[in-house]
Amino acid sequence: MMNWLAGLALRATIVAILGFLLAPLVVIVVVSFGDAAFMQFPPKGLSFRWYANIDQLEGFFDAVVISLKLAVLSTVIVLVLGVAASLALTRHRFAGRGAAMSLFLSPLMLPSIVIGIGLLQYYTSLGFFSTFTALVLGHCAIVFPYMVRTVASSLEQQDESVIEASRVLGADAVQTFAHIIVPSIRPGLINGAIFAFIMSFDNYSVSLFLSDAATQTLPIRMLTYVAMAIDPTVAAASTLLILFSMLQLLVAGWLIGVRRIGGLAGK
């Protein structure tokens, strides 16, 4: 009886937490279909007018292009650096290995807004004024831990005997990496890349401090629009972004499986 009550309480807690997390998203989606000229929940009527109005947002598509370029470039950079760092941390034992791993994962422990302020002050002290480059470096700093965590988890699950067998059969380091290591850690690479892309594309806190009027990412552009208007156009754009993120996760689930995603993220 007690076990049954404990299980019921656990399920109720999980449902409550999921409801709390998903409620804001549900409100945004519902508001985006309202027919009123202002944000209204629940809406009195349904309409797609605000989705048609998205292309009227000044600078919206330019911001989408900037965010896509930024997310793709940041993901590629951390993919290369994350694999190299993960190989060093999982394949070698050296003094300070634990400290190095903690350093690589440290951005996960700090609020993004703190990282943004710190980077802004650091770039200012260096006289660094290339906005897009500053954004790329800032986004790399915040998404790098996701890549290291997922790739390192995949490497730790890899069978060392397979790598030793490839070396015994005459494969050099490059051949072993390309034909043995990369295929075996493919789930971690895909998972890390998708999470890095989503986190970079949706990032607001760091971009707020590093962007300027000529280089605005999509989240910053949407915030600017909200400050000037109260219609549900931004809610419609946000709904499309939610669908875009869900699509990426569905692709990841199709490529590597939902259980693998959960397993790698939980390491």
Side-chain angles (χ1 to χ4, degrees):
M1 183 66 178
M2 293 299 296
N3 291 335
W4 180 82
L5 290 176
L8 181 62
L10 177 60
R11 291 184 179 88
T13 302
I14 294 174
V15 171
I17 293 175
L18 289 176
F20 177 78
L21 294 175
L22 294 177
L25 302 182
V26 173
V27 171
I28 290 174
V29 173
V30 173
V31 167
S32 70
F33 291 101
D35 61 350
F38 53 91
M39 294 189 182
Q40 183 183 58
F41 183 85
K44 294 182 179 179
L46 299 179
S47 172
F48 288 93
R49 59 183 290 199
W50 305 115
Y51 288 89
N53 194 54
I54 289 178
D55 62 350
Q56 302 300 318
L57 294 179
E58 181 181 356
F60 178 81
F61 290 103
D62 290 337
V64 170
V65 172
I66 291 174
S67 290
L68 285 174
K69 289 181 178 178
L70 181 60
V72 170
L73 189 55
S74 301
T75 300
V76 171
I77 292 174
V78 299
L79 181 63
V80 175
L81 297 179
V83 170
S86 299
L87 284 171
L89 291 171
T90 58
R91 292 288 181 264
H92 303 282
R93 297 294 183 267
F94 54 89
R97 176 174 171 270
M101 176 62 83
S102 298
L103 177 63
F104 291 152
L105 299 181
S106 60
L108 294 176
M109 309 174 194
L110 296 173
S112 296
I113 191 171
V114 174
I115 298 176
I117 294 173
L119 288 174
L120 175 62
Q121 293 179 339
Y122 180 66
Y123 291 153
T124 302
S125 66
L126 294 178
F128 190 70
F129 297 110
S130 176
T131 301
F132 188 77
T133 304
L135 283 169
V136 170
L137 295 177
H139 281 221
C140 286
I142 60 173
V143 303
F144 183 68
Y146 296 94
M147 187 65 67
V148 172
R149 189 168 185 174
T150 55
V151 174
S153 297
S154 293
L155 287 170
E156 289 173 353
Q157 298 172 18
Q158 191 176 46
D159 188 355
E160 292 283 348
S161 62
V162 178
I163 298 177
E164 294 175 0
S166 69
R167 293 172 180 169
V168 171
L169 293 174
D172 57 27
V174 175
Q175 292 173 326
T176 300
F177 176 76
H179 299 290
I180 303 298
I181 296 179
V182 170
S184 65
I185 66 173
R186 185 175 67 94
L189 294 176
I190 295 174
N191 196 25
I194 289 178
F195 272 97
F197 182 89
I198 293 175
M199 294 300 297
S200 176
F201 189 84
D202 293 340
N203 180 266
Y204 162 76
S205 302
V206 172
S207 301
L208 177 65
F209 293 96
L210 302 181
S211 61
D212 57 20
T215 311
Q216 288 190 341
T217 62
L218 183 57
I220 301 301
R221 187 68 196 94
M222 291 172 65
L223 175 68
T224 303
Y225 183 82
V226 170
M228 298 184 297
I230 58 173
D231 63 64
T233 305
V234 169
S238 299
T239 300
L240 294 180
L241 291 180
I242 293 171
L243 293 176
F244 180 56
S245 298
M246 291 177 61
L247 178 62
Q248 293 180 74
L249 293 177
L250 288 174
V251 171
W254 175 69
L255 291 174
I256 64 178
V258 176
R259 292 185 181 274
R260 294 299 299 273
I261 295 176
L264 292 172
K267 289 291 182 179

